[in-house]
Amino acid sequence: MPPHRLILDCDPGVDDAFAMMLAFAAPEKIEMLGVTCVAGNRPLDQTAYNARRLCALAGRPEIPVYAGCARPIMWAEGEPVDVHGKDGLGDVSLPEPKAPLRDGHAVQFIIDTVMREPEKTVTLCCIGPMTNLALAIVMEPRIVPRIRELVFMGGAAFRMAMYRVSEFNFYSDPHAAHIVLSAGIPQTMFGLDITYQAEVNPGIFQRLDALPGPAPKALADMLRTYASMDPRLHDVVATAYLIEPGLFDGVEAHVSVEYTSPTTRGLTVARWTPPQLAAGYQTNTRVITKTDPAAFFDLMLTYLAHY
């Protein structure tokens, strides 16, 4: 398979930080076209700043970073969470950005890039609320058949979320998730079904601490803050899949999201059994349900050692 030519849409976030740093460390598998930011774990100004700080930490200031949507489609504001620290990256000392935000809006960057590049050569990886991609689809529907693949972290197909009825990214902007899920893009879902398997254990800290250089140390410090409240590195499984898809397995399903009821806001519904599909539901998503956690963490730490 050719390398993924990637737009990474994110809301950094400690788990986003691991996902980004893993993607940056695998240039033979992932060619970074740009990073687009959305409000989610923290407000937009902070997530865009965090993305540029992570580019500086990785020594990749040439990667363009664009700010996108500052709020969900239908609600006046999102719901930032405190699990990532006040600044979203565990309040760890990080280098200042070496490049400014690029001019223009993230939504327009997505449209322009997908329309400019050859058909089926651009991959989208969304690891925050899907607001940017949803609005890009609404503004320019012609991007849909041109996208090679969408890989996203969001939803919970076969299990419930722990703290609310739905997973955070889908809860934050269910209308965006609905637009994307129903668009017809080839897509692979990394929901809580798989991310709960990416649970950090003490050995992960020991192995991170043993790696040389400032980047692994910064990531270890971020993780200590984050894992005290959520021991699972949700977002990084999505970029790990882009590097080594053979580590993961799942099922083909029809996945939809509840976006009308405030009571079940963002709830994922997966239909995958033969009777359900025979009732008229067509599969639209590959739902990842299995991995080897030890192999997954080995992959992550092997690439992070490149720093």
Side-chain angles (χ1 to χ4, degrees), residues 3 5 7 18 21 31 40 54 60 79 91 118 133 148 156 167 172 211 234 237 271 275 284-285 293-294 296:
R5 307 186 68 236
I7 298 174
F18 275 82
M21 296 294 283
E31 177 189 346
L54 291 166
R60 299 292 302 276
E79 183 186 329
D91 304 312
L133 179 54
R148 171 179 171 181
E167 178 275 329
S172 296
L211 297 178
H234 300 278
V237 293
R271 299 174 175 91
N284 64 353
T285 307
F296 159 72

Side-chain angles (χ1 to χ4, degrees), residues 74 155 205 235 238 293 303:
M74 293 297 292
F205 290 103
D235 290 340
Y303 276 91

Side-chain angles (χ1 to χ4, degrees), residues 86-273:
K86 292 180 180 178
D87 73 346
L89 294 179
D91 304 312
V92 170
S93 178
L94 293 173
E96 286 299 307
K98 297 187 182 338
L101 274 174
R102 296 298 179 99
D103 292 336
H105 196 281
V107 171
Q108 193 63 53
F109 170 74
I110 292 171
I111 293 170
D112 291 346
T113 303
V114 174
M115 295 303 296
R116 178 186 68 241
E117 300 296 328
E119 189 171 347
K120 298 292 186 182
T121 63
V122 176
T123 297
L124 272 292
C125 181
C126 293
I127 54 176
M130 291 182 170
T131 318
N132 287 336
L133 179 54
L135 291 183
I137 291 169
V138 171
M139 287 179 64
E140 181 49 272
R142 290 182 299 166
I143 69 172
V144 169
R146 298 183 64 85
I147 294 171
R148 171 179 171 181
E149 182 180 3
L150 166 64
V151 175
F152 67 89
M153 190 276 129
F158 304 118
R159 63 168 299 151
M160 296 293 290
M162 184 177 294
Y163 302 112
R164 54 172 68 86
V165 72
S166 60
E167 178 275 329
F168 174 78
N169 288 339
F170 276 22
Y171 180 88
S172 296
D173 198 341
H175 297 86
H178 168 69
I179 290 169
V180 174
L181 285 170
S182 59
I185 302 170
Q187 56 196 9
T188 304
M189 170 179 166
F190 289 81
L192 300 184
D193 315 278
I194 185 66
T195 69
Y196 270 51
Q197 298 175 42
E199 185 162 349
V200 176
N201 60 58
I204 303 302
F205 290 103
Q206 295 170 8
R207 294 173 67 182
L208 270 174
D209 287 334
L211 297 178
K217 181 182 185 305
L219 289 169
D221 290 342
M222 290 181 210
L223 189 57
R224 286 187 172 88
T225 298
Y226 173 81
S228 65
M229 291 179 277
D230 186 348
R232 302 166 189 94
L233 278 171
H234 300 278
D235 290 340
V236 72
V237 293
T239 50
Y241 169 82
L242 296 172
I243 296 170
E244 190 54 69
L247 285 179
F248 302 92
D249 197 10
V251 299
E252 298 293 331
H254 178 276
V255 178
S256 58
V257 58
E258 172 55 53
Y259 61 96
T260 59
S261 168
T263 305
T264 54
R265 168 179 165 179
L267 181 69
T268 314
V269 179
R271 299 174 175 91
W272 63 281
T273 66

Side-chain angles (χ1 to χ4, degrees), residues 36-107:
T36 53
C37 301
V38 66
N41 287 315
R42 304 304 302 159
L44 178 64
D45 58 349
Q46 187 70 53
T47 62
Y49 174 56
N50 287 349
R52 292 185 297 129
R53 288 200 291 168
L54 291 166
C55 289
L57 179 66
R60 299 292 302 276
E62 79 283 1
I63 296 173
V65 177
Y66 291 83
C69 296
R71 49 161 285 183
I73 290 174
M74 293 297 292
W75 280 280
E77 58 185 18
E79 183 186 329
V81 292
D82 294 331
V83 66
H84 302 273
K86 292 180 180 178
D87 73 346
L89 294 179
D91 304 312
V92 170
S93 178
L94 293 173
E96 286 299 307
K98 297 187 182 338
L101 274 174
R102 296 298 179 99
D103 292 336
H105 196 281
V107 171

